[in-house]
Amino acid sequence: MLRLTSRFIILIRENTMLRLICSGLLSLIATLAVAATPKLDPSIDYHSQANPHEVLTTHLTLDLSVSFKKQELSGSVIFDFERKADKVSELVLDTRDLTIVAASARVDGKWQKTGFKLEAPHTALGAALRVALPAKADQIKVQYRTSPKASGLQWLTPEQTAGKKLPFLFTQAQAIHARSFIPLQDTPQVRTTYDAILRTPKNLRAVMSAENTPNADKTGEYRFHMPQAIPSYLIALAVGDLEFKAMGARTGVYAEASILDAAVAEFADTEAMLEITEKVYGPYSWGRYDLLILPPSFPFGGMENPRLSFITPTVIAGDKSLVSLIAHELAHSWSGNTVTNATWRDLWLNEGHTTYLTYRIMELIYGQKRFNMESVLGYQDLQGDIAELPAPYQLLAIDLRDKDPDDGFSNVPYEKGALLLTEIETKIGRAAFDAYLKQYFADFAFSSLSTEAWLAYVDTHLVAKHPEQLSMQRLEQWIYQAGIPEGAPAPKSNAFSDIDQVRTQWLSGSLKSSDIKAAGWTVHEWLYFLNNLPAQLTEAQMLDLDTQFKLTGTGNNEIAHSWLLIAINNNYQPAYSRLENYLIQIGRRKLITPLYKALVATPSGKVFAQRVYTSARPGYHPLAQGTMDAIVNP
């Protein structure tokens, strides 16, 4: 079959007419495939089975007990709601791996049992819960408990925490994992306020994405109130041996005692970031802005849960070199939390705007040089993903029907989205674009919108005002076509030009490593130097860099990631002990996924990866486990 296929390919190449016929057939097949796919309706959230168009939940009242022994949350949720259609007979909620104990309806001020049905689970979406809705009911209560395998919960043993004495629990709801610990309308189209009671062991503290009480006594019962309506993926809780320390009037850190002071020192500029963002883009709408430092198994860099961003400890570098992550999560307070994507197809509206704001905040706090360097590194990350991702995943408005929305997370919605906004800024000027963004955040405050709604708004508020600089055709090219559009702005950094020269000279042998003046290099310069080395280096070159700069032993997790990736690609064995410890101790997907992918590319590397993963897997979050399972043990 292979020989016949090869001969056919050669025949096509040599025969112009046959080549044209085959090209036409391929185009026809592609056209038929597109035609066979039902047209996407941007108003529909294809990742929810709920019925908010008929019954819209507006407030949740949670009462949950936390059992580390059973690894479960148990209790109830009460729904306030609005009827959006006549003669509605049921409230449909999203669930995943939940045990539903009972359902009740409040009629004329009294609770009475009501019927419910848990449908067969959908592979990606979970099971729809249908609760009978009496005609005069004004509230619905669902009693339930979670499963130890809930995709949105991670239960950590004391050994997996910084303090090594007490257990830890945290949630991760984005994109559709809230349904694994609360039955609800799990779609960003629905925004709800909430109240909650969490009942915990008395030696632990509970916090939520709500109004927290810093330094509250550890009583075993904690009450929370979230007055602003938020989408379900921003509901979050954590329970652990947590202490609090303020950084400013509105900012502070919750963390285990052993890392609290280091976190406060690292993120001391958070209050300044908050103040300067308000000056440019309008008031901060959420009261306090605190940080929760999680154990290293947290699968993301950060999660923008309102009032309380969840942060990985891997960005505590000791020199504030990785605090762009804090700027990013803070920026979500405007783009994402206040103005939210309507569906996961529109994720770029959250992440593209937030990444653009991140760069702007970093420039305002730390200056143009750092802004330029971080922009170049982000652009290179985007180029790397564009080179690897299939064309449909390179679109900003990505079609994720029948797929897990987690599959849509890459550098595309972040960096391509930010680059689109940078192009608009470049064409109309920064002052005009800042004014537009401030108005945009105000006009859509506490609402969710689709890509098409964004385009309509831009058409009115930008294109119509700047017809010579902007066009809808160009904007639609950015959103609906793969790749980076020709003529897109490419970030540049003079500092990196010097690094290019140093790298070239070292590779040619005209510059010794001992003569490289790297003592003053920033993390960004080191990353640029390492990430742009040739794929293959000699053993002598690897040893030279490692001996001179102690890269295998670096305490910066981002630099370590880049160096360990180079070590894998060059089978540099002196780094493999550090690599094993790194993979076991860190669960952040951004850092470990490329390492596992590189390892399994060779037979010996795959054996190493499988051995290490056996030890590392129990400490990973379920989201990281799913990703690594597919890589290491497909």
Side-chain angles (χ1 to χ4, degrees):
M1 177 65 74
L2 178 60
R3 183 178 300 171
L4 177 62
T5 303
S6 300
R7 288 176 178 173
F8 185 63
I9 291 172
I10 293 171
L11 181 62
I12 292 173
R13 287 175 177 170
E14 294 178 348
N15 189 307
T16 302
M17 182 59 70
L18 186 58
R19 187 166 66 247
L20 290 172
I21 292 172
C22 288
S23 177
L25 286 172
L26 289 172
S27 297
L28 178 61
I29 291 170
T31 301
L32 290 173
V34 172
T37 303
K39 187 176 179 180
L40 184 146
D41 184 340
S43 68
I44 294 176
D45 185 349
Y46 293 95
H47 294 102
S48 173
Q49 300 179 81
N51 63 337
H53 57 291
E54 296 178 326
V55 184
L56 178 67
T57 56
T58 58
H59 184 80
L60 309 181
T61 304
L62 288 161
D63 189 333
L64 297 174
S65 296
V66 179
S67 172
F68 282 92
K69 182 178 180 180
K70 296 180 180 180
Q71 293 192 341
E72 74 172 25
L73 302 178
S74 61
S76 64
V77 55
I78 297 174
F79 299 93
D80 293 359
F81 56 85
E82 295 177 2
R83 298 174 189 266
K84 310 297 286 188
D86 296 332
K87 299 180 180 179
V88 181
S89 60
E90 62 181 4
L91 169 65
V92 185
L93 304 170
D94 294 299
T95 78
R96 177 185 285 157
D97 298 322
L98 295 180
T99 298
I100 307 303
V101 177
S104 307
R106 195 179 77 159
V107 179
D108 296 329
K110 296 181 180 179
W111 288 101
Q112 62 184 44
K113 287 186 177 181
T114 191
F116 67 89
K117 179 182 180 182
L118 194 62
E119 300 284 2
H122 180 280
T123 304
L125 306 183
L129 173 63
R130 301 182 179 277
V131 182
L133 187 64
K136 294 184 178 181
D138 58 7
Q139 285 183 321
I140 290 289
K141 178 191 288 187
V142 176
Q143 294 170 269
Y144 70 97
R145 61 178 179 269
T146 64
S147 163
K149 65 178 182 178
S151 62
L153 300 176
Q154 185 170 19
W155 303 86
L156 299 176
T157 64
E159 292 74 24
Q160 294 171 316
T161 68
K164 310 296 183 185
K165 295 179 180 179
L166 295 170
F168 203 108
L169 163 68
F170 67 88
T171 63
Q172 172 55 40
Q174 194 180 37
I176 58 170
H177 302 285
R179 65 191 66 178
S180 73
F181 58 93
I182 308 172
L184 40 55
Q185 294 180 329
D186 196 10
T187 166
Q189 293 181 347
V190 173
R191 305 178 71 98
T192 179
T193 54
Y194 75 83
D195 289 286
I197 300 175
L198 293 184
R199 307 175 193 276
T200 73
K202 288 188 176 181
N203 54 353
L204 299 177
R205 183 189 303 279
V207 291
M208 291 193 75
S209 56
E211 292 179 343
N212 291 281
T213 304
N215 296 314
D217 292 335
K218 294 179 180 179
T219 62
E221 182 177 299
Y222 301 90
R223 295 176 181 268
F224 305 93
H225 176 60
M226 170 49 88
Q228 291 94 354
I230 60 172
S232 54
Y233 75 89
L234 294 177
I235 298 174
L237 63 90
V239 180
D241 187 14
L242 298 170
E243 303 297 336
F244 176 84
K245 195 167 187 177
M247 294 186 293
R250 289 179 290 174
T251 58
V253 173
Y254 291 91
E256 293 182 75
S258 62
I259 60 172
L260 180 59
D261 288 341
V264 169
E266 193 79 10
F267 307 132
D269 296 331
T270 304
E271 189 86 23
M273 291 181 180
L274 175 58
E275 291 172 354
I276 207 161
T277 310
E278 282 188 305
K279 288 180 181 178
V280 181
Y281 298 115
Y284 177 74
S285 302
W286 303 91
R288 292 191 58 82
Y289 180 72
D290 295 318
L291 308 176
L292 170 66
I293 313 304
L294 292 171
S297 61
F298 185 50
F300 300 107
M303 181 61 208
E304 64 270 19
N305 302 313
R307 296 176 177 264
L308 186 66
S309 285
F310 285 19
I311 304 296
T312 173
T314 63
V315 295
I316 302 176
D319 58 4
K320 301 183 181 180
S321 58
L322 304 177
V323 297
S324 62
L325 177 75
I326 306 302
H328 185 90
E329 304 312 329
L330 171 64
H332 267 303
S333 300
W334 285 262
S335 51
N337 296 3
T338 301
V339 183
T340 307
N341 49 228
T343 74
W344 297 111
R345 168 182 178 260
D346 311 302
L347 173 66
W348 80 272
L349 289 174
N350 278 20
E351 299 299 350
H353 282 79
T354 297
T355 302
Y356 173 84
L357 262 62
T358 302
Y359 288 133
R360 292 293 309 283
I361 294 170
M362 295 302 290
E363 180 183 17
L364 290 166
I365 298 291
Y366 300 108
Q368 182 75 36
K369 180 180 178 181
R370 182 159 176 178
F371 166 80
N372 289 341
M373 290 191 293
E374 295 193 351
S375 297
V376 170
L377 292 172
Y379 186 70
Q380 290 190 339
D381 288 341
L382 173 60
Q383 288 177 309
D385 274 9
I386 292 293
E388 293 183 2
L389 290 170
Y393 286 85
Q394 299 176 26
L395 276 60
L396 288 179
I398 182 174
D399 186 354
L400 291 169
R401 285 176 292 177
D402 299 320
K403 300 179 180 68
D404 191 315
D406 287 341
D407 295 344
F409 284 79
S410 72
N411 281 301
V412 171
Y414 293 76
E415 298 292 347
K416 184 178 176 180
L419 202 60
L420 162 57
L421 301 182
T422 300
E423 178 171 289
I424 297 174
E425 178 213 307
T426 302
K427 289 186 174 182
I428 70 171
R430 176 165 287 186
F433 193 53
D434 279 348
Y436 156 80
L437 282 176
K438 188 174 183 179
Q439 189 63 49
Y440 167 75
F441 295 139
D443 287 348
F444 290 104
F446 298 101
S447 62
S448 305
L449 74 160
S450 67
T451 296
E452 286 67 30
W454 180 84
L455 280 169
Y457 185 81
V458 168
D459 191 14
T460 301
H461 293 270
L462 283 180
V463 176
K465 295 178 181 179
H466 305 276
E468 296 183 1
Q469 292 81 23
L470 302 174
S471 75
M472 292 303 295
Q473 182 179 4
R474 175 68 171 178
L475 295 175
E476 289 170 356
Q477 179 187 5
W478 272 98
I479 291 168
Y480 299 121
Q481 292 185 22
I484 303 172
E486 186 176 351
K492 296 179 181 179
S493 168
N494 292 333
F496 285 165
S497 299
D498 296 336
I499 300 297
D500 285 330
Q501 185 177 1
V502 169
R503 188 191 313 103
T504 299
Q505 291 176 341
W506 176 76
L507 287 168
S508 69
S510 63
L511 180 67
K512 295 180 180 179
S513 62
S514 57
D515 292 330
I516 297 176
K517 295 178 173 56
W521 282 7
T522 65
V523 169
H524 312 93
E525 287 166 309
W526 267 115
L527 292 175
Y528 187 77
F529 177 83
L530 294 171
N531 293 346
N532 291 282
L533 285 168
Q536 297 302 313
L537 297 172
T538 67
E539 179 82 9
Q541 287 174 319
M542 293 289 296
L543 188 60
D544 182 33
L545 286 176
D546 200 9
T547 301
Q548 184 64 37
F549 301 114
K550 307 296 187 290
L551 291 168
T552 295
T554 178
N556 185 290
N557 288 303
E558 294 280 357
I559 293 175
H561 164 81
S562 292
W563 174 246
L564 292 173
L565 188 58
I566 294 169
I568 294 169
N569 291 334
N570 290 276
N571 195 30
Y572 179 64
Q573 290 299 313
Y576 271 56
S577 177
R578 172 68 192 282
L579 173 62
E580 180 170 350
N581 290 333
Y582 190 92
L583 291 172
I584 290 174
Q585 293 171 1
I586 293 175
R588 186 179 174 187
R589 291 198 303 180
K590 171 192 171 183
L591 298 179
I592 62 175
T593 299
L595 299 179
Y596 279 115
K597 284 183 176 180
L599 282 169
V600 301
T602 65
S604 61
K606 187 171 185 178
V607 171
F608 178 89
Q610 290 176 332
R611 178 180 66 78
V612 172
Y613 186 51
T614 300
S615 299
R617 190 182 189 279
Y620 289 168
H621 187 277
L623 297 179
Q625 289 177 347
T627 301
M628 303 317 137
D629 286 348
I631 295 170
V632 180
N633 298 306

